[in-house]
Amino acid sequence: MSDRVLITDAGFGPVDPAERYLGLADLVAAPGAQRVDLGPETDPAALGPDLARIQAIRIAFPAVSDGRGFTLARTLRRMGFTGRLRAAGQLIPEQYPMTRACGFDEVEIDADRARRQPEADWRAAARRQGYLARLRRPAA
Amino acid sequence: MYAYSDFDESFVRDRVRQFRDQVERRIDGRLSEDEFKPLRLMNGLYLQLHAYMLRVAIPYGTLDARQMRQLAAISERWDRGYGHFTTRQNIQFNWPKLCDVPDMLDALADVGMHAIQTSGNCVRNVTSDHFAGAAADEIADPRPYAELLRQWSSDHPEFQYLPRKFKIAITGATADRAVTRAHDIGLRVVARDGAVGFEVSVGGGLGRTPMIGRIIRDFLPEADLVPYVEAVLGVYNQLGRRDNKYKARIKIAVHEMGLDTIRELVEARFAETRSEFPGAEAALAEIRAAFRAPDFRAGGTAIPSGSPAFRAWADTNLAPHRREDHAIVTVSLKTPGQQPGDASAGQMRAIADLAETFGYDEIRISHRQNVILPHVRKDDLPAVFEALAAAGLAAANAGLISDIIACPGMDYCALATARSIPVAQEIAVLFETLDLAHEVGPLRLNVSGCINACGHHHVADIGILGLERAGVETYQITLGGDPTERIAIGERTGPGFAADEIVGAVERIVTAYLELRDSADETFADAYRRLGLAPFQKALYSEESRENAA
Ligand code: HEM
Ligand code: SF4
């Protein structure tokens, strides 16, 4: 487990083996918990008042072709979530800048993928920037 | 015409570099086939029956002579000397080699073109009225909005991995020449109290479950375009089905959840997105300046007299321009017997020359797979006609029964269940031989080679769908489809016809129409609306009519 890799703008790093994420149902039952795992199908309204105490959310990407997590992240940010937001699972380097633009802070992949798609591939992709920045820029 | 900004230029170049790198990573195994596939599709590269196919975007169908010449050069260097213009304002090259594709993309970038998002489960090339900027009935040129949406959707970080493809079409005229309501989002420019906005439809589409888009907003102010479309896509990305690719289009979500639910979700999301694009207005203003009309040269307002051949061509292939001394010319890629929509490199160059000499350097591609010269002085029409005739491009059949839309079908497409090109060719040749096409008048006949409906058969007066039954091709007919503002999905006539019966069946339908119409002014579409399916079914299936035809 501990050989999962955490990718940030600083490059590859280890995933903290001590951190624990709870599923949504368990979170509601554990008033002290601050980290939650969400599936891509989650209706973020289900987080309700719990959102305020959550410090980290990890959204699962079950397949490279499944882009629901991008929209879920945008929705959470629009709801005012300011904690850590992580995309975890089946992502490729091309998707790193997309996760960042959608409000994620970091990406978690497994060791196999990290071997097959080394840090250099993720760094090469990270710089890319599309048109949106321009349309979202405040009018001059 | 819109010219690439430095940003466009570097964006497109960067994409080519990325794709080169992606091909390398696929070859050395860093990317699996499953991971490479969406990247390949996003760059327009399909795997077809015999080879790869590269689909190049012609955004909102607009090209200049330099770009057309480059398409000709690409077809000669990396393909077999021709290209296929499609119903989606793309051009497809059917025979490229994977290793050549990055070079082809670079050659496209040299003239401000690309293949980005012409395939794959993303927002596709936005299509538009092929008479945009020229039509007499235009409220506003739709291309600046289409370009704004191109910029918004290109590499949009949230919407590159949608449940399924997403198609947007836009028209700025009162007549709908862009089949907007057969698209996931259809936009129709409307004016209200002096302000310009859009009527927005959602959930239209053809394919195996044809549906007409439903009106989700009757008036969307111009300034809200980008945030509203962003809201629709956000709702779709979250809710669109991913368990079954045949149920993944937004039309199914609209159908299953109901228009009102979708509307509520979209409006709620729109309340959030509305303020997120403060730069869109300035971007639109900049784009609009780039679409200024050319400096028109004045001329005579009458169509010059000429040979009978010229007059026949002028009768069918011209449309009203917003200036009285100009006309819109349709260059038919449907000379009976040819593959609909194909143009040779030589023909592309001939069209480029004409655009430069007589057409203010503007060319359009229509979803009916023809080429348009949008601005031609009436005085210049005879010269244009002569040059077209010399290039084999003067077929006088725009809008007639031989102006057939046909998808590539079994001759190229891996999904095909039947051939479509030969059927189209035979029908066109038949009516040419009988010299009946002009007598029949405006009639849309479209052919698809399978249920995916790339040939728009659902929205044709006569639609032909090629299927396979127990190993043999069989062709189903639908009648009464309409792609215009009167949009309708055609009705099935009944059992299908074998490959050697289908042309005869079409002939019986047309003969019945000629007998039943009120006068030569009643088009097939109008006659069908008046008469319904029954008399045509009788003509198709009764013993008597079959014998008469035999
Ligand atoms: C040759 C390779 C092609 C393949 C593999 C292909 C594949 C498909 C598929 C699978 C669909 C159904 C989508 C759905 O219902 O969700 C479709 C629809 C469509 N395609 Fe193609 N196509 C090809 C070529 C073309 C060409 C050449 C054109 C233009 C002439 C075209 C234009 C369209 C259009 C207009 C639709 C229906 C509109 C809609 O999406 O609802 N396609 N295509
Ligand atoms: S309709 Fe079918 S046969 Fe024709 S191009 Fe589309 S997928 Fe291929």
Side-chain angles (χ1 to χ4, degrees):
Chain A
M1 284 291 267
S2 61
D3 48 9
R4 283 172 302 154
V5 168
L6 193 64
I7 306 162
T8 62
D9 290 351
F12 274 18
V15 170
D16 176 0
E19 66 182 18
R20 286 284 170 270
Y21 286 80
L22 296 182
L24 192 51
D26 297 331
L27 178 92
V28 176
Q34 295 170 337
R35 294 168 183 273
V36 63
D37 260 331
L38 298 182
E41 72 295 342
T42 310
D43 175 0
L47 287 166
D50 292 316
L51 188 60
R53 68 170 153 122
I54 296 171
Q55 293 188 352
I57 296 177
R58 184 167 66 176
I59 297 175
F61 281 71
V64 166
S65 58
D66 187 339
R68 283 175 293 179
F70 296 114
T71 287
L72 183 52
R74 294 276 299 144
T75 307
L76 288 165
R77 289 301 189 205
R78 287 196 183 110
M79 289 166 73
F81 177 67
T82 54
R84 293 297 284 177
L85 200 48
R86 182 184 298 180
Q90 306 304 314
L91 290 115
I92 55 175
E94 271 68 16
Q95 292 172 322
Y96 182 77
M98 299 174 187
T99 61
R100 296 286 287 123
C102 288
F104 286 103
D105 301 296
E106 56 204 20
V107 170
E108 178 188 320
I109 58 172
D110 64 23
D112 279 350
R113 183 178 289 280
R115 262 190 301 278
R116 192 158 56 86
Q117 294 164 352
E119 186 169 352
D121 290 359
W122 294 81
R123 279 188 186 279
R127 284 174 284 108
R128 292 173 194 156
Q129 209 205 9
Y131 285 90
L132 264 204
R134 186 158 160 257
L135 299 182
R136 288 199 178 135
R137 196 170 53 207
Chain B
M1 211 180 95
Y2 185 74
Y4 268 24
S5 65
D6 293 348
F7 185 83
D8 294 319
E9 162 75 21
S10 72
F11 177 83
V12 169
R13 290 285 177 199
D14 200 41
R15 277 292 286 246
V16 179
R17 263 194 303 278
Q18 285 170 37
F19 188 65
R20 225 178 257 286
D21 169 65
Q22 286 156 356
V23 171
E24 265 172 42
R25 284 153 63 211
R26 172 68 200 115
I27 290 168
D28 69 24
R30 277 178 287 165
L31 288 171
S32 69
E33 182 52 31
D34 278 354
E35 290 163 355
F36 179 62
K37 189 177 169 194
L39 300 174
R40 150 167 87 65
L41 291 175
M42 259 172 230
N43 287 291
L45 194 61
Y46 259 96
L47 198 51
Q48 287 208 107
L49 210 50
H50 311 288
Y52 280 104
M53 175 270 280
L54 181 67
R55 183 183 284 166
V56 174
I58 299 171
Y60 26 88
T62 297
L63 280 174
D64 62 19
R66 188 175 71 115
Q67 292 171 323
M68 190 66 129
R69 287 199 186 96
Q70 187 77 329
L71 294 177
I74 289 172
S75 78
E76 283 175 336
R77 172 138 188 229
W78 289 291
D79 203 311
R80 297 188 177 174
Y82 64 93
H84 177 73
F85 290 102
T86 81
T87 49
R88 296 219 5 97
Q89 298 181 320
N90 296 306
I91 179 168
Q92 297 188 170
F93 294 111
N94 283 311
W95 308 98
K97 292 208 267 307
L98 180 59
C99 57
D100 289 336
V101 170
D103 291 338
M104 294 172 80
L105 294 177
D106 255 330
L108 288 168
D110 288 344
V111 294
M113 295 184 75
H114 63 82
I116 297 169
Q117 291 176 213
T118 55
S119 322
N121 295 335
C122 48
V123 179
R124 300 288 188 87
N125 182 32
V126 176
T127 52
S128 180
D129 182 356
H130 43 269
F131 292 166
D137 65 342
E138 191 162 274
I139 300 163
D141 188 339
R143 292 172 302 158
Y145 306 115
E147 171 59 21
L148 182 64
L149 290 175
R150 180 193 73 80
Q151 297 189 5
W152 160 81
S153 66
S154 293
D155 217 14
H156 193 301
E158 191 179 338
F159 305 133
Q160 295 303 301
Y161 296 86
L162 296 170
R164 198 76 179 87
K165 59 173 100 169
F166 201 94
K167 299 177 179 176
I168 303 177
I170 177 165
T171 175
T174 48
D176 184 353
R177 286 175 288 261
V179 208
T180 57
R181 289 182 71 185
H183 289 75
D184 297 282
I185 290 181
L187 298 163
R188 215 164 59 79
V189 171
V190 286
R192 180 181 283 186
D193 306 329
V196 167
F198 307 93
E199 179 192 77
V200 186
S201 64
V202 68
L206 301 173
R208 63 185 61 218
T209 19
M211 288 190 189
I212 294 172
R214 314 270 307 272
I215 305 300
I216 187 166
R217 253 296 190 121
D218 62 357
F219 188 81
L220 179 75
E222 177 188 280
D224 289 335
L225 178 62
V226 171
Y228 189 84
V229 172
E230 170 118 347
V232 174
L233 265 296
V235 168
Y236 169 59
N237 193 31
Q238 204 164 29
L239 296 179
R241 288 179 56 172
R242 288 173 191 264
D243 59 328
N244 178 343
K245 79 169 189 176
Y246 301 125
K247 300 198 166 169
R249 297 286 290 270
I250 195 173
K251 64 189 171 188
I252 303 293
V254 173
H255 182 69
E256 288 180 351
M257 303 177 67
L259 179 66
D260 291 338
T261 308
I262 299 287
R263 181 186 286 125
E264 267 170 44
L265 291 167
V266 167
E267 290 294 336
R269 200 167 180 89
F270 174 55
E272 307 266 353
T273 56
R274 192 165 189 186
S275 57
E276 289 179 1
F277 298 93
E281 201 183 325
L284 180 62
E286 222 173 88
I287 293 167
R288 199 174 261 143
F291 281 98
R292 261 195 329 268
D295 295 324
F296 290 114
R297 281 169 289 129
T301 56
I303 293 175
S305 56
S307 63
F310 169 75
R311 273 180 279 136
W313 175 83
D315 274 348
T316 47
N317 290 38
L318 301 182
H321 192 276
R322 60 191 166 96
R323 281 176 64 104
E324 256 196 290
D325 52 0
H326 281 63
I328 302 173
V329 171
T330 296
V331 178
S332 170
L333 297 182
K334 312 292 180 60
T335 299
Q338 82 161 110
Q339 299 203 11
D342 278 10
S344 69
Q347 290 177 325
M348 291 187 228
R349 289 199 184 94
I351 292 167
D353 291 347
L354 281 175
E356 245 166 18
T357 315
F358 298 110
Y360 308 92
D361 201 17
E362 290 206 25
I363 301 166
R364 310 266 200 273
I365 305 303
S366 82
H367 80 270
R368 291 205 61 87
Q369 301 177 288
N370 289 316
V371 176
I372 311 293
L373 296 171
H375 314 293
V376 178
R377 260 178 8 141
K378 285 183 176 167
D379 292 344
D380 294 331
L381 287 170
V384 168
F385 173 75
E386 291 307 324
L388 288 174
L393 289 167
N397 64 352
L400 303 184
I401 191 168
S402 51
D403 182 6
I404 295 173
I405 295 183
C407 80
M410 193 72 101
D411 294 288
Y412 298 97
C413 177
L415 303 178
T417 42
R419 289 169 299 165
S420 40
I421 293 170
V423 171
Q425 287 169 323
E426 280 175 49
I427 293 171
V429 167
L430 172 75
F431 284 92
E432 170 82 358
T433 314
L434 298 177
D435 199 14
L436 257 186
H438 284 85
E439 166 75 16
V440 173
L443 193 153
R444 297 183 179 91
L445 191 149
N446 300 352
V447 189
S448 300
C450 81
I451 198 168
N452 287 317
C454 303
H456 282 202
H457 67 273
H458 296 298
V459 290
D461 292 312
I462 301 177
I464 297 177
L465 164 61
L467 296 169
E468 185 235 286
R469 293 272 183 267
V472 289
E473 290 167 314
T474 170
Y475 293 87
Q476 231 168 50
I477 297 178
T478 47
L479 295 179
D482 190 329
T484 70
E485 59 285 358
R486 307 198 298 184
I487 186 138
I489 304 285
E491 296 172 88
R492 275 215 4 229
T493 56
F497 296 87
D500 58 358
E501 295 171 343
I502 182 64
V503 177
V506 169
E507 193 185 353
R508 292 203 292 284
I509 294 169
V510 173
T511 307
Y513 155 66
L514 289 175
E515 280 164 11
L516 294 164
R517 69 182 178 188
D518 273 346
S519 72
D521 290 335
E522 190 180 41
T523 62
F524 184 92
D526 289 335
Y528 187 84
R529 275 176 192 255
R530 178 170 61 82
L531 297 162
L533 188 58
F536 296 100
Q537 272 173 325
K538 183 157 168 258
L540 273 176
Y541 298 107
S542 76
E543 283 304 319
E544 179 198 353
S545 66
R546 280 179 184 248
E547 273 159 30
N548 286 348

